[in-house]
Amino acid sequence: MTFFSNLKMWEMMKEIRELVMLFLMALCSKLTATSGKTMTIRKWQVPAEDSYCLSWRLGVETNNIRAWPIVPNQCLRYVESYMILGQYERDIDLIIDQVMDYVNDDVVLSNDGFDAWILDVDDTCISNLFYYQGKRFGGDPYDPKGFKEWALKGVCPAIPGVLRLYNKLIKKGFRVFLVTGRSEATFGQTTLNNLHSQGFLAYERLILRSDEYKGMNALEYKSEIRKNLVEEGYMIWGNIGDQWSDIQGDYVGIRTFKLPNPMYFVP
């Protein structure tokens, strides 16, 4: 059984609990109507803790909250539920559907071999959710040594919605560039093998961070990579990442799309 299958099972259990609650509420309402007596029914309210965390995640995803080092302690349970009980997958699918509409309705390819699309790698093409499960879904500080050990295993699963889009882009004729901040010297072959094993094939180029870009933050580094592609003659129709630093800066492309990630922030 795959990790995402386990997520579906959790989601099903959640839906069963919600149905039971609805049944009990309906039964209570019926008893009130038939008894001839009035009964006060409490309004359904989001717990105060979850209400704050909903607002916190909104601030994160709109880039109003920046440079946050870890998930707030009171939001650990909320982020865990968001990531594993189905809402994260549903949000990904909604965004990918919007990208599909853009690709189908608004893009007219030149078919000159220079119609480009850019995808980030970590938590865009492939998921690190297994790793962050052991880091309290972002509740622990970034651990470079631990992440290196994880990434070198090369077992990150594909994010299904993004893989669906990727295959659409390849079929339509885009030159797809996979751009990652992973070190080329450390992770190059492992990342290539991991992507291939998960179905990311036939892309134009996998670009990792070479020594030339060492020390640059993610926004500066990815801006430079995009600048180089534009100078090569490519038209960047779309650019997708899970971090704002993936899709801000220079030469971002005609359309950018941000995938959700409340587990960590990359400047």
Side-chain angles (χ1 to χ4, degrees), residues 180 182-185 208-215 221 225:
T180 174
R182 290 186 177 194
S183 163
E184 183 175 35
L208 299 101
R209 188 189 291 260
S210 64
D211 289 340
E212 177 184 357
Y213 301 105
K214 189 174 182 179
Y221 158 64
I225 295 299

Side-chain angles (χ1 to χ4, degrees), residues 102-105 107-109 111 167-174:
Y102 166 63
V103 170
N104 291 329
D105 300 337
V107 175
V108 180
L109 297 183
N111 294 316
N167 289 328
K168 170 74 173 182
L169 296 173
I170 295 296
K171 184 176 180 180
K172 195 171 178 70
F174 285 97

Side-chain angles (χ1 to χ4, degrees), residues 54-149:
L54 280 165
S55 299
W56 176 81
R57 186 169 67 85
L58 175 64
V60 165
E61 297 300 352
T62 54
N63 204 29
N64 291 317
I65 299 176
R66 303 180 183 181
W68 46 279
I70 58 173
V71 173
N73 189 62
Q74 65 267 42
C75 295
L76 294 179
R77 181 183 61 82
Y78 168 81
V79 172
E80 176 180 358
S81 298
Y82 172 76
M83 294 302 299
I84 70 173
L85 294 184
Q87 190 59 53
Y88 169 70
E89 280 188 272
R90 288 191 291 270
D91 288 352
I92 291 280
D93 287 340
L94 183 144
I95 295 167
I96 294 303
D97 286 343
Q98 298 304 306
V99 182
M100 290 284 199
D101 288 344
Y102 166 63
V103 170
N104 291 329
D105 300 337
D106 300 331
V107 175
V108 180
L109 297 183
S110 63
N111 294 316
D112 60 0
F114 287 93
D115 296 303
W117 197 287
I118 294 177
L119 290 171
D120 173 53
V121 173
D122 282 298
D123 295 302
T124 298
C125 291
I126 52 179
S127 173
N128 293 299
L129 193 52
F130 277 118
Y131 170 75
Y132 279 99
Q133 187 174 24
K135 298 295 182 179
R136 299 193 300 161
F137 297 92
D140 294 339
Y142 177 60
D143 175 10
K145 182 175 181 292
F147 183 79
K148 178 181 178 181
E149 292 173 353

Side-chain angles (χ1 to χ4, degrees), residues 8 21 95 142 180 200 209-210 223 226 240 250 264 266:
K8 292 295 184 182
M21 287 297 299
I95 295 167
Y142 177 60
T180 174
F200 291 93
R209 188 189 291 260
S210 64
S223 290
R226 293 191 299 264
I240 302 178
D250 299 326
Y264 60 88
V266 177

